[in-house]
Each structure stands twice: as structure tokens, then as C-alpha cells.
Amino acid sequence: MAMLYALLCYNDEDTVWAWDKAQEAEAMDALGRVRAPLERAGKMGPSLRLLPTTAATTLRKSDPPLVIDGPFAETKEQLLGFYIIDVADLDAALQVAKDLGAANPGGAYEIRPLAAYNAGGPIGAAEPVAATS
Amino acid sequence: MSDLAWIHAAITAARPQAVGALLRYFRDLETAEEAFQDACLRALNNWPRNGPPRDAAAWLIMVGRNAALDGVRKRARQTELPPEEVLSDLDDAEDRAASRIDEADYRDDVLRLLFICCHPDLPPPQQIALALRIVSGLSVKQIAKAFLVSEAAMEQRITRAKARVAAGDAAFETPGPVERAERLAQVAAMLYLVFNEGYSAGDNPARAELCGEAIRLTRLLLRLYQTEPEIMGLLALMLIQHSRTPARFDADGQIVLLDDQDRGLWDRNAIAEGLALIDKAMRHRRPGPYQVQAAIAALHARAATPADTDWVEIDQLYATLERLTPSPVVTLNRAVAVSKVAGPEAALAMIEPLGDRLSGYFHFHGLVGALNLELGHTAAARTAFDKAISLAGTAAEAAHIRQHLDQLMAEHAPPRSTSARAN
């Protein structure tokens, strides 16, 4: 029976967001090459990349709710994105993480089994800018 | 990415914090830089074998401190000072060095390092060169290439700047809230200088890289000061302006004006990040010049085509900017919006009084020329364009105006042509 995992990508965002265009393209290409066969095999669902934590806002669910600039937790390595994968077991999930890690070294993946997965509906344009105009 | 490339990226990212902390510790820029260099050499040797450390900055600070202290110890032995005394002092120092490195210290360290580059005695080009050398860690050769001067000349400029900074009060005490706010404002202005140095370059890729560097440092500053709306605004402004870079020049290096740019080439990630930051900044209801300029840039970014641009809103934002920071250049920029909203005549009337103060400013004459061209005042347009060419800062600027002139000539050989082109 297959099992759903989230691979949560942690790395130092100061480093990652300082990549120049060539480094950026190289890393994204290498990750794409790992992702593509998994997507074709139905083992990889949505994957997404987050903007830097400086763009984040946190809502504390206090009463009244408190809005704070920045990410929920100040950490040495930040949550930069994640993958949703559908694989047999932890060993298989670790193998995907190792392959992704070889394509893009540095930082860590937290492999976290999913309790629920909601595919959601279509959310229109993938480009946030197009969505606002 | 190779190990070496990753280590290089990690060292570059850690540099402002590490050199900033070493500067606090040694209170001497030269020693701090040497200690950091030493630590980097050891990192290159150690990290590939043992893997990169969890906290690269902390690693570089500890190793840099120890290396520099070793040096002091050796020199002390050579000169045969009473060793016990020296060593006991150093033991104390090492205890402190081993203590936990505080996040709050980091913030002030990085701010201090940036702030010493804003020394009021340093003219802007020296501030920029110093920041690129000591904060960004660019080599003298790279900086010289960006400024189109010889390496020797740049070396001299940086050495002079360092000497001036060393002679002054480098502000080692922990700043109070008011001082911190003042430092932040000055550092923000310096970072925007670095950005503009890159943005105005255009045809020089070595200088254009300065935009990326300014963005990197501003993002770092915002990470340390998460709730400062003006730093959000500054980063948003840089990101949105920089997003247009792929569309700003054609294959021949000629300027492509905003209206004529292929908006499909704009960097959508940079725009998305910029818009997110403006949203965040606005919630603070503490408007400032960077936020207003970012909001203007955002209106251009949101327009799918030039015709969709909300010029009325842009005109109002420029009016706000005029109130916040009155300057003839701001009024000149507002005049572009006015020409779209109320026509070229109104815009011309608005900028005519600026002639005295902006007589040496390329963009003033460029706009006067373009507005006159729109109105069919060809003689006045030609005079203004001629003046603009004589003041052009780059070859691309001159070439752009020359296009206008060529068009003018072509249109006035057969006088039936009336197709004036707005800029």
C-alpha cells in the first residue's frame, strides 16, 4: 500500500536566494530531472517553492488574532518549499529525498507522513501577478 | 551544484554576519577581514570533508576569532612579552568567544558593518565601493570592472575609504532605538545607491550585477528588521525595478522604454515578491518614500499592457512623494504621469519652472524633447534632444535620444507625416 509523504525542504534562504541566474537554472534543471520520472510514474504530486520568509506574514490565532511580520519561527534554516510524494514506504521516501538532495545539495529534507490530503480545486493562474490584474 | 559552488554560496551568504561579528570583537576592520579570510581558507579545507556546518556564520566567526587570536599569541611570543599575562587575557577572551552567539548581536553587527560604509565623509562612489568590498566581499578586480577604472585606482579608493572609516568613530556601542532607526535609514539610502549604480549601467554586465547584490543585502536587512515598512518598501522597489531587466535593452544594447518592453520577459517571481512586500508594508500605515516609489513601480508591474496603466493613481502617488521628499526630479517624474492624464501641454507647464535646477540633467531635456515632439513643436524638441545627448551618461542613453532625432529628421523631410511617438 502506498503512503503519502511531504518532503519539507529546509535550507539557509540567504544562500539559496543569493544564487545567480546560472546557479538557479542549474539547480532547478537538476531537480526537474529527478521530478519528471516520478511525476510520470504517479509518485509525485504537487511540488512548490516558497518566496523568502521576508515576504511572510504570521497570524497568531489568539483572541484577537495577532498579525506578525515574518515567518512563524525564526530558524537557522527556513522552510523553502515542499513536495508531496506517494511511495511504498519510508525507505522509498528517503530514496526520493536522497535523489533530490544529490541534485541540490545543502540543507535538509524533513520527511513527514501525511494525515490527510485535499487535492483542492483549480486555483487559476499559476502566476500570482496575472491573478491580481 | 558542486560542493565548491555550494561552499562559495554559503560563505558569501554568511559574510556580512561573520565580518560584522569579528569587527565587534576586534574593533578593527583590517583584523576582522583577515580573520574572516583565514576562516574561509579553513572552511574550504574542512567543509568538503566534514560536510557544511549547520550554521555557517557561527562556524566562520568562531574559527576566525581563534585564528586571529593564534596570530596575536604568536606575535606576543616573538616579542617575548610576559606570556602569562597575555595568555590569561586571551583565555578570558576565548571564554567570551565560546559563549552563545546572540541573534540580537547579529542584527547590530550587520547593521554596524553596513553603517560604517555610510560614513558622512565618504562620497557616494566610495560608500558603494567600500560596501561591495567589505560587506559583499567582491574582489577589488570585480569592483574595478564594475566602475570601469583600473584595479590600482580602485584599490587606492578603497584603501582611502577604509582609512577614513578607521579614523572616525565606528560606533561600536550598542545603538539605542533612535540611533538604530537613523542607521537603518542611512544604510537603506546606501543600498539604494548600490542598486542604482547597477540599474543605470545597462550595457555593463559587471555593473548590472550590483542590482542583485543590493537586493541580497536588503533582503538580509529586512530579515533582521522584519517590521520596518520602509525596508519592505525598499526591497519591493528594487525587486520590481529589477524584474524588468530582461526587457530593458534590445539585442543591440539599445534602451527599450517601459511602454515598448515585452512584458512577458519581466521576472514574475520578483514581481510577486515585491507585491507581497508592499501589501505587508501598507498594513503598518507608516508611508515613506520607498513604499510610495514601490507602489508606483507596482502599478506598472500590474498593468498587462501599457494602455492598462493606472496613470491617475500614479499621478497621485507622485503627489504624495512630492510632499514626502520634495525635489525637482520627483516633479519631473510626476510630469510623465501628468502628460498621460492631462496631456503634454500640462506636463510641459509643470516642468518648465524646473529648467534652472535641472539644466544639467539628461532626463529633463529628454522629457522636454519628447513632450514638444508630441505637441508638434519640432524645433524645440530638436534643441532639447541635442542638449540631452550632450548630457547622456551612457552610450545607450545617447543612442536612444539619437533615435528620436533621426525620427524627427525623417518625419520632417516629407512634412505630411504626423505620427509623433509618445515615450
Side-chain angles (χ1 to χ4, degrees), chain A residues 13-14 54 56 69 76-77, chain B residues 54-55 223 268 280 284:
Chain A
E13 69 178 357
D14 289 346
T54 40
D69 289 308
K76 292 276 173 234
E77 287 149 317
Chain B
R54 183 97 196 249
D55 185 341
R223 225 149 79 67
R268 294 287 148 187
K280 282 181 65 171
H284 287 267

Side-chain angles (χ1 to χ4, degrees), chain B residues 16-201:
Chain B
Q17 292 193 337
V19 177
L22 291 166
L23 177 65
R24 165 164 48 88
Y25 192 65
F26 293 111
R27 301 199 164 206
D28 175 65
L29 196 53
E30 212 64 46
T31 312
E33 279 197 293
E34 272 169 29
F36 180 75
Q37 283 310 323
D38 220 327
C40 289
L41 288 176
R42 286 165 204 232
L44 283 171
N45 189 25
N46 181 300
W47 293 3
R49 274 189 287 122
N50 301 335
R54 183 97 196 249
D55 185 341
W59 193 98
L60 291 166
I61 293 164
M62 293 303 283
V63 170
R65 274 176 178 173
N66 289 342
L69 288 173
D70 271 353
V72 172
R73 207 175 274 143
K74 275 182 201 138
R75 280 197 293 278
R77 225 177 271 139
Q78 280 157 9
T79 51
E80 292 187 70
L81 283 168
E84 298 85 0
E85 209 180 307
V86 175
L87 285 173
S88 92
D89 275 349
L90 290 170
D91 283 346
D92 286 346
E94 268 181 320
D95 278 348
R96 262 181 286 136
S99 67
R100 206 170 58 84
I101 295 161
D102 201 307
E103 271 301 317
D105 280 343
Y106 267 171
R107 286 172 24 132
D108 288 332
D109 287 346
V110 174
L111 186 58
R112 180 185 302 113
L113 190 64
L114 286 162
F115 181 65
I116 59 172
C117 304
C118 312
H119 196 286
D121 289 351
L122 296 180
Q126 282 196 26
Q127 291 188 12
I128 297 171
L130 195 60
L132 292 173
R133 180 70 204 98
I134 67 171
V135 188
S136 299
L138 299 191
S139 68
V140 173
K141 191 176 171 181
Q142 282 173 299
I143 303 169
K145 214 167 135 196
F147 283 88
L148 301 173
V149 299
S150 72
E151 236 178 291
M154 185 48 74
E155 180 83 61
Q156 203 184 19
R157 190 188 291 183
I158 292 171
T159 306
R160 264 205 304 264
K162 277 188 186 170
R164 230 179 262 190
V165 166
D169 167 26
F172 285 105
E173 75 290 355
T174 302
V178 176
E179 280 172 312
R180 195 174 279 130
E182 283 169 2
R183 286 186 191 185
L184 260 177
Q186 285 192 41
V187 165
M190 187 270 289
L191 291 175
Y192 198 40
L193 277 178
V194 174
F195 180 84
N196 275 314
E197 197 59 38
Y199 198 69
S200 61

Side-chain angles (χ1 to χ4, degrees), chain B residues 316-330:
Chain B
Q316 281 165 5
L317 285 167
Y318 270 121
T320 306
L321 194 58
E322 272 184 312
R323 276 197 303 278
L324 289 170
T325 55
S327 103
V329 173
V330 173

